[in-house]
DNA sequence: CAGTGAGCGAGCTTCCGCTTGACTT
């Protein structure tokens, strides 16, 4: 019997089916040992020696692996293909050796990026050794986090009563929130004006040039300037001087990863990060979606293929690109051990599942399914028109913009939500000719004030952390909880305010 | 005499990242 060790029990079950009777696949349930939460777990004075411990919970979960190892004639370490996964393999091996659970059997390290029969088989046939460089990188990460956190936190207890913890990730996240608050406090709102004109044929144009000079945002700083300009334009007609027509394409967004799922669920469903992850976990365990803690946008070929055939069947050839779309991860430190978050089976449409799933699950699945399908569809095409108009005395120039969806493409299925903004609206402009003259029905000078940057929401903080390479998919939600549990920040109208 | 409160001292907290499941709210 060959013993295969993976991290998650759900994966173990699936892989067991693929590999058959000669193999026994067991789960480590993540890390099996860790630095105990006390002084001296890392000794900087002693070449950074690290003292790991298997706690009683881990020991219970590890027992089946120990028992199986004793009977196995080969050990296959198939933990996740990233830094933490490599270390878990090494820890498993170390503990099995320390317990003398394995003798002289071959030990192989195997990695796969998707849980499909083809990929698992390929991986099993291409074993390698444990990559000690990767393991050491993980140990350095672990030691550093321990040393930073357990050195800084006690300093805080003494110097700042009420504070409870500090760490490589949480303190930086807190700093982001505080910096933003400082920015808001010192923000000075600035007045500016713009002028638009209501024309014949229900056209609205905005003032872009005065005396041949392009207007910048603050070029009309107050009411007096606005009224002066208005007075000079009043009574004049506008002549069409230029018409620009072009087509714009918009491509779909990549399928979800943990951070983007948390953001969209917040925008569209109002879910907090924690709730999103709990619901996603259930969907994953019940086999409806792929793994939910991931920073990879890669999709297994079978996933792409089934999305493409669904698109062709449900929406027709026009919606299907010639070749599959592929996406690349933007985050620099992404490890991409798992593929994107997508439905396990595209044929299970949200309509079918909505009858089987409870409300939260159904709504999250709906997002995931649509995002995946849309990510393989054709771009949306917009017909855009820009019309320049001039006063007869050439004092002022206006522009009217129009945008019409010519082909909805992926938007037929899914459109990403927006954060603090206005949804752009569709605006149809009537056919006009160069030289045509239009009456000005009304001039609208309008006062505006610049606004401070918004406070972070859970979603925008996660996005920022990901950009900066702080925290991991498995920890975004918990870091947010820590900041609140420690009373460092509070949520007001879903925005973080430092205490 | 019983209850109250000031004053003092002892003991405790903590990191990040990988997994669920057993708890409580």
């Amino acid at each position: 019997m060959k013993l295969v060790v993976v991290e998650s029990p759900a994966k173990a079950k699936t892989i067991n089916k693929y590999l058959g009777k000669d193999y026994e696949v067991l789960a480590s349930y993540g890390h099996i040992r860790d630095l105990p939460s006390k002084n001296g777990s890392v000794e900087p004075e002693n070449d950074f020696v690290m003292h790991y411990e298997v706690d009683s919970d881990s020991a219970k979960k590890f027992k089946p692996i120990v028992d199986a190892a004793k009977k196995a004639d080969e050990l296959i370490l198939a933990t996740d293909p990233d830094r933490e996964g490599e270390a878990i393999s090494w820890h498993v091996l170390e503990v099995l050796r320390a317990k003398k659970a394995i003798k002289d059997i071959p030990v192989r390290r195997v990695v796969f990026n998707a849980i499909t029969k083809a990929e698992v088989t390929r991986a099993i046939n291409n074993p390698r050794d444990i990559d000690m460089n990767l393991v050491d990188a993980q140990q350095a990460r672990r030691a550093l986090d321990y040393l930073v956190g357990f050195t800084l936190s006690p300093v805080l207890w003494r110097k700042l009563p009420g504070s409870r913890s500090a760490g490589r990730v949480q303190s930086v996240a807190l700093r982001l929130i505080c910096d933003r608050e400082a920015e808001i406090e010192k923000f000075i709102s600035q007045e500016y004006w713009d002028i638009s004109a209501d024309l014949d044929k229900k056209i609205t144009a905005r003032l872009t040039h005065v005396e041949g000079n392009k207007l910048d945002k603050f070029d009309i700083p107050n009411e007096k300037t606005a009224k002066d300009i208005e007075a000079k334009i009043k009574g004049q007609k506008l002549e069409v001087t230029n018409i620009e027509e072009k087509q714009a394409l918009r491509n779909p967004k990549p399928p979800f990863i943990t951070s983007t799922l948390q953001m969209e669920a917040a925008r569209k469903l109002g879910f907090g990060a924690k709730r999103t992850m709990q619901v996603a976990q259930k969907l994953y365990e019940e086999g409806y979606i792929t793994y939910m803690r991931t920073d990879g946008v890669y999709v297994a070929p079978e996933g792409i293929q089934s999305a493409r055939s669904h698109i062709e069947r449900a929406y027709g050839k026009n919606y299907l690109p010639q070749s599959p779309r592929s996406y690349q991860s933007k985050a620099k430190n992404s490890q991409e051990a798992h593929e994107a978050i997508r439905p396990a089976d595209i044929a299970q449409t949200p309509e079918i599942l909505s009858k089987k799933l409870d409300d939260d699950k159904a709504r999250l699945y709906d997002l995931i399914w649509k995002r995946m399908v849309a990510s393989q569809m054709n771009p949306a095409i917009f017909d855009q028109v820009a019309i320049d108009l001039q006063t007869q005395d050439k004092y002022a120039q206006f522009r009217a913009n129009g945008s019409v969806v010519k082909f909805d493409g992926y938007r037929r299925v899914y459109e990403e939500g927006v954060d603090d903004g206005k949804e752009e609206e569709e605006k149809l402009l009537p056919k006009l000719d160069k030289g045509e003259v239009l009456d000005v029905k009304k001039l609208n000078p309008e006062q505006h004030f610049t606004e401070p940057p918004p406070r972070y929401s859970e979603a925008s903080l996660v996005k920022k952390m990901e950009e900066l390479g702080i925290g991991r998919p498995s920890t975004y939600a918990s870091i947010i909880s820590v900041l609140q549990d420690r009373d460092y920040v509070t949520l007001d109208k879903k925005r973080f305010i430092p205490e």
Side-chain angles (χ1 to χ4, degrees):
Chain A
M1 184 269 297
K2 297 174 182 183
L3 172 61
V4 181
V5 179
V6 297
E7 291 180 41
S8 126
K11 264 189 204 174
K13 220 170 125 192
T14 314
I15 295 168
N16 232 334
K17 267 188 290 180
Y18 294 151
L19 291 179
K21 296 205 270 302
D22 294 343
Y23 295 83
E24 181 167 10
V25 187
L26 295 175
S28 76
Y29 292 83
H31 279 292
I32 55 156
R33 60 178 189 175
D34 194 11
L35 301 173
S37 296
K38 61 181 188 199
N39 286 332
S41 292
V42 178
E43 297 182 54
E45 308 297 325
N46 190 8
D47 201 25
F48 293 91
V49 62
M50 299 167 77
H51 302 284
Y52 293 106
E53 212 176 86
V54 182
D55 69 32
S56 62
D57 274 7
S58 300
K60 241 180 259 166
K61 287 174 177 159
F62 197 59
K63 179 94 176 9
I65 294 180
V66 176
D67 294 343
K70 287 177 181 161
K71 291 175 280 178
D73 42 49
E74 184 173 335
L75 174 62
I76 299 172
L77 300 164
T79 50
D80 294 351
D82 59 11
R83 190 173 59 197
E84 298 296 325
E86 201 71 18
I88 291 172
S89 279
W90 177 77
H91 281 298
V92 165
L93 184 57
E94 287 283 299
V95 173
L96 287 178
R97 281 191 175 139
K99 287 187 179 301
K100 304 205 186 314
I102 52 170
K103 287 158 242 132
D104 280 338
I105 60 171
V107 176
R108 306 187 201 287
R109 168 76 169 123
V110 140
V111 292
F112 30 74
N113 285 296
I115 314 300
T116 61
K117 186 159 191 182
E119 175 66 5
V120 170
T121 312
R122 183 207 60 76
I124 292 284
N125 291 329
N126 291 279
R128 59 169 172 80
D129 292 329
I130 288 181
D131 180 349
M132 279 315 291
N133 284 337
L134 212 47
V135 174
D136 288 343
Q138 190 275 347
Q139 296 201 88
R141 196 279 302 158
R142 184 67 192 92
L144 178 88
D145 285 337
Y146 170 88
L147 290 171
V148 170
F150 278 64
T151 308
L152 236 42
S153 294
V155 175
L156 239 52
W157 302 336
R158 291 197 302 272
K159 299 285 180 193
L160 284 174
S163 58
R164 323 256 0 118
S165 63
R168 172 179 59 88
V169 173
Q170 58 171 280
S171 297
V172 179
L174 180 58
R175 168 76 185 266
L176 289 171
I177 293 170
C178 292
D179 279 357
R180 178 58 57 88
E181 196 66 19
E183 220 180 309
I184 293 168
E185 268 170 30
K186 72 164 202 259
F187 184 83
I188 300 167
S189 180
Q190 202 179 339
E191 181 182 3
Y192 65 97
W193 288 67
D194 61 21
I195 299 176
S196 65
D198 296 341
L199 312 176
D200 280 347
K201 305 186 181 177
K202 292 187 178 167
I203 298 169
T204 302
R206 58 173 216 290
L207 181 68
T208 56
H209 293 71
V210 169
E211 293 176 321
N213 298 318
K214 188 172 186 302
L215 286 178
D216 283 332
K217 187 170 184 180
F218 298 112
D219 282 351
I220 310 178
N222 50 45
E223 185 166 14
K224 183 176 180 309
T225 315
K227 294 285 177 192
D228 286 350
I229 295 171
E230 185 189 11
K232 289 191 178 145
I233 300 171
K234 212 157 205 165
Q236 298 199 59
K237 291 175 193 288
L238 293 180
E239 182 188 335
V240 176
T241 55
N242 193 31
I243 300 175
E244 238 177 74
E245 287 180 33
K246 62 177 180 195
Q247 275 192 350
L249 297 183
R250 195 188 300 158
N251 285 311
K253 291 278 193 269
F256 283 131
I257 57 177
T258 304
S259 59
T260 51
L261 177 68
Q262 289 178 5
M263 284 182 247
E264 271 300 82
R267 287 193 279 239
K268 291 196 164 168
L269 308 180
F271 287 7
K274 209 170 162 182
R275 182 171 171 198
T276 300
M277 294 312 284
Q278 277 171 353
V279 176
Q281 173 91 27
K282 284 188 205 148
L283 285 170
Y284 165 70
E285 284 168 9
E286 290 163 29
Y288 292 118
I289 62 170
T290 55
Y291 197 60
M292 66 283 147
R293 288 186 284 269
T294 174
D295 56 10
V297 284
Y298 166 85
V299 172
E302 55 160 28
I304 291 180
Q305 210 25 260
S306 64
R308 284 175 63 82
S309 49
H310 175 85
I311 292 164
E312 186 168 3
R313 201 166 355 101
Y315 316 112
K317 271 207 156 59
N318 284 345
Y319 287 85
L320 187 72
Q322 296 244 304
S323 53
R325 290 176 179 280
S326 67
Y327 295 93
Q328 289 204 327
S329 173
K330 280 186 208 145
K332 271 188 209 139
N333 69 333
S334 67
Q335 310 243 334
E336 303 184 58
H338 304 278
E339 62 171 315
I341 304 168
R342 63 170 173 90
D345 180 7
I346 294 282
Q348 299 277 341
T349 62
E351 292 73 37
I352 297 173
L353 281 193
S354 67
K355 288 170 198 118
K356 290 194 213 162
L357 299 175
D358 69 38
D359 197 44
D360 274 10
K361 279 193 264 184
R363 292 205 290 161
L364 196 67
Y365 183 82
D366 181 66
L367 273 192
I368 293 167
W369 188 92
K370 287 178 174 167
R371 175 92 166 205
M372 174 62 213
V373 172
S375 77
Q376 285 300 325
M377 290 173 76
N378 264 326
I381 303 173
F382 298 84
D383 276 334
Q384 296 184 329
V385 198
I387 300 171
D388 289 322
L389 308 110
Q390 219 168 36
T391 51
Q392 289 149 312
D393 64 359
K394 298 192 166 40
Y395 169 75
Q397 185 179 320
F398 286 78
R399 170 168 280 206
N401 285 308
S403 178
V404 180
V405 178
K406 190 184 181 203
F407 174 66
D408 56 359
Y410 76 92
R411 295 190 4 148
R412 172 148 176 194
V413 175
Y414 178 91
E415 180 63 81
E416 187 174 58
V418 285
D419 271 332
D420 300 297
K422 45 263 154 159
E423 303 260 358
E424 69 216 78
E425 57 200 75
E426 208 168 294
K427 214 165 56 184
L428 182 66
L429 286 183
K431 239 357 202 186
L432 293 174
D433 293 313
K434 224 167 157 172
E436 202 169 331
V437 175
L438 298 165
D439 277 334
V440 177
K441 291 182 150 167
K442 190 161 175 264
L443 284 168
N444 313 302
E446 208 178 332
Q447 184 184 36
H448 304 277
F449 292 95
T450 53
E451 301 226 359
R455 292 192 171 103
Y456 284 109
S457 63
E458 284 193 5
S460 60
L461 184 65
V462 166
K463 183 179 181 187
K464 189 72 188 175
M465 286 168 63
E466 183 182 49
E467 274 171 27
L468 297 174
I470 303 162
R472 302 280 312 139
S474 64
T475 59
Y476 296 138
S478 62
I479 291 293
I480 284 169
S481 301
V482 165
L483 293 180
Q484 292 175 80
D485 292 347
R486 305 265 185 271
D487 290 327
Y488 291 166
V489 301
T490 49
L491 264 185
D492 179 53
K493 300 188 191 87
K494 300 200 170 181
R495 300 281 168 170
F496 286 115
I497 305 177
E499 286 291 307

